[in-house]
Amino acid sequence: MLSATAWVILAGAVATYLTRVGGHAVLSRFERIPPRVEAALNAVPAAVLTAIVAPYAVFFGLAEAITIAAAIVLALRLPTLAMLGICWALVWLLRQAI
């Protein structure tokens, strides 16, 4: 018998697969994607990232909020791996200090 966690993972995988297949099925019917649909699709990654990151900035404490602000600034200047390493160290240090 599968655990509750395994069922949640399986349901998430099925939902993700159906969403991707459904989206492809709908978009493949268009000869050319309308500009408004293309603009909406281009906004999806930023919306998903915001939905993942925003709760940490609001509900998880000052260390996380400061680290997210630093990550935004560092992401404009540094390669991704460097930014991730610095922010990992920063959140660890801030959690110890606060």
Side-chain angles (χ1 to χ4, degrees):
M1 190 73 175
L2 290 174
S3 70
T5 303
W7 280 112
V8 169
I9 292 170
L10 184 62
V14 169
T16 300
Y17 177 76
L18 291 176
T19 302
R20 287 178 171 259
V21 169
H24 179 70
V26 169
L27 289 178
S28 67
R29 295 182 185 268
F30 289 105
E31 201 171 292
R32 185 170 128 355
I33 298 175
R36 293 183 114 184
V37 173
E38 188 172 353
L41 290 173
N42 287 335
V44 168
V48 170
L49 184 61
T50 302
I52 292 170
V53 171
Y56 283 93
V58 175
F59 298 114
F60 285 84
L62 186 59
E64 288 76 7
I66 292 170
T67 302
I68 290 169
I72 291 168
V73 172
L74 292 172
L76 298 172
R77 302 280 181 192
L78 298 174
T80 303
L81 191 57
M83 184 265 306
L84 288 173
I86 291 169
C87 289
W88 175 83
L90 178 61
V91 76
W92 184 80
L93 287 171
L94 289 173
R95 284 178 179 171
Q96 302 305 314
I98 294 177

